[in-house]
Amino acid sequence: MKKWTSAINYLIALVMILCLNFILPRLMPGDPLLAIYGDEAFIAMTPELKAELISRFALDQSTGQQFWTYISSLVRGDLGYSYYYNAPVMTVVLGSLAWTVLLVGLAIIISTLIGVVLGMESGYRRGRPLDRALLGSLMFASGFPDFFVGILLLLFFGVVLGLVPLAGVVTPYAGYSGLMFLADLFKHLALPLTALVMVRIADPFLLTRSAMVISLGEPFIFTARAKGCSDRVIRYRHAGKNSLLPVVTATGMQLPHMVTRALFIEIVFSYPGVGSLLYNALLTRDYPLLQGILLVLTVTVLLVNLLVDILYTRLDPRIAYAY
């Protein structure tokens, strides 16, 4: 029964996302042709050419017809055709999605691992100098906007010291392969990844620290101490494992926020990910591309939430019996 209820909830969420994904881009002000071709070209454009372009881009159809075309195309796996890039939306999105998945995925994994470990150590040493130092420094770092941190890192390590490239994801026309390609890739990735990790690391740290402080006062901790368990076992196996539950939930819920943060970071570092693609699609009123990007992102969020639900029951089996 629980599985069917969860499936229906996810199905309702998917239908609502499809409707919003179609409606929201069309509520934006501005003419798509004007955004694509610019003021000068739009003024010089003949009425016949305008009519041909409107017909080519399917802008002459009613909203209901456009919605039916949108749904039927999705069923066939067709996300539409990008006005601006003059290419299928799926091709354009997949070309940028891999770079964003690499950046956001590494940022989530690294910041979560560091935040969880520091949160356990800080919660276990509550009120001591290490706890106060970690709490103050991470709260200070998280107070800066992610793009501001990115600009500072870019100016210092890229412009002043010249240690890392200023833009892009690989060196153009370098012809690297194998380990040289990976080294060049991570050299370009170092600064945007560091900026995202520095801004996000406070979230898992604070959640883990709070859960750790609460867990250390639970009866099972006193039982573990009475059984003679070592501090390391109590810290990581008993209290630490129990403090992971809110972190797992928060990590899944923060995926959309990380994509939003990556949008600004990708613009600062000229990183060719989905964030930069979404920015260009917004500027050009490229409705099919906007729909494709939002659809891919929202479906990804739903899948991540589903994985979090499954992982949550594995970490705490009591939740499976709570329905």
Side-chain angles (χ1 to χ4, degrees), residues 41-52:
F42 189 77
I43 293 174
M45 198 177 293
T46 63
E48 292 78 12
L49 180 58
K50 287 182 183 178
E52 181 183 346

Side-chain angles (χ1 to χ4, degrees), residues 81-268:
Y81 199 82
S82 171
Y83 305 160
Y84 182 72
Y85 291 94
N86 198 26
V89 170
M90 181 64 79
T91 303
V92 177
V93 173
L94 290 181
S96 300
L97 184 62
W99 298 119
T100 297
V101 169
L102 178 65
L103 175 62
V104 174
L106 285 177
I108 289 178
I109 292 173
I110 294 173
S111 61
T112 301
L113 290 177
I114 296 176
V116 165
V117 173
L118 293 181
M120 288 181 182
E121 297 292 339
S122 183
Y124 197 77
R125 295 173 172 80
R126 183 187 182 189
R128 298 179 185 175
L130 178 63
D131 176 41
R132 290 196 291 268
L134 287 174
L135 193 61
S137 58
L138 292 179
M139 290 297 292
F140 178 77
S142 66
F144 292 100
D146 41 21
F147 66 89
F148 180 72
V149 174
I151 291 173
L152 289 181
L153 292 175
L154 186 65
L155 290 176
F156 186 71
F157 292 100
V159 177
V160 177
L161 299 181
L163 297 177
V164 290
L166 299 178
V169 70
V170 290
T171 303
Y173 310 110
Y176 292 137
S177 61
L179 294 178
M180 291 293 292
F181 175 78
L182 290 178
D184 185 57
L185 175 64
F186 283 104
K187 193 174 181 181
H188 284 79
L189 197 63
L191 289 187
L193 181 61
T194 302
L196 279 178
V197 169
M198 285 181 64
V199 173
R200 186 189 175 268
I201 198 172
D203 296 337
F205 167 78
L206 292 175
L207 283 172
T208 307
R209 181 184 178 277
S210 300
M212 192 77 177
V213 170
I214 295 173
S215 296
L216 288 174
E218 295 291 333
F220 68 89
I221 297 296
F222 295 110
T223 303
R225 292 187 188 279
K227 290 167 61 178
C229 295
S230 64
D231 287 346
R232 185 181 182 85
V233 171
I234 292 174
R235 188 187 318 165
Y236 291 106
R237 184 177 298 176
H238 295 281
K241 182 181 179 182
N242 199 57
S243 64
L244 290 177
L245 295 175
V247 179
V248 172
T249 305
T251 301
M253 298 297 293
Q254 285 181 352
L255 180 62
H257 300 289
M258 286 297 290
V259 174
T260 306
R261 287 173 172 173
L263 187 152
F264 297 102
I265 292 295
E266 288 177 0
I267 293 173
V268 169

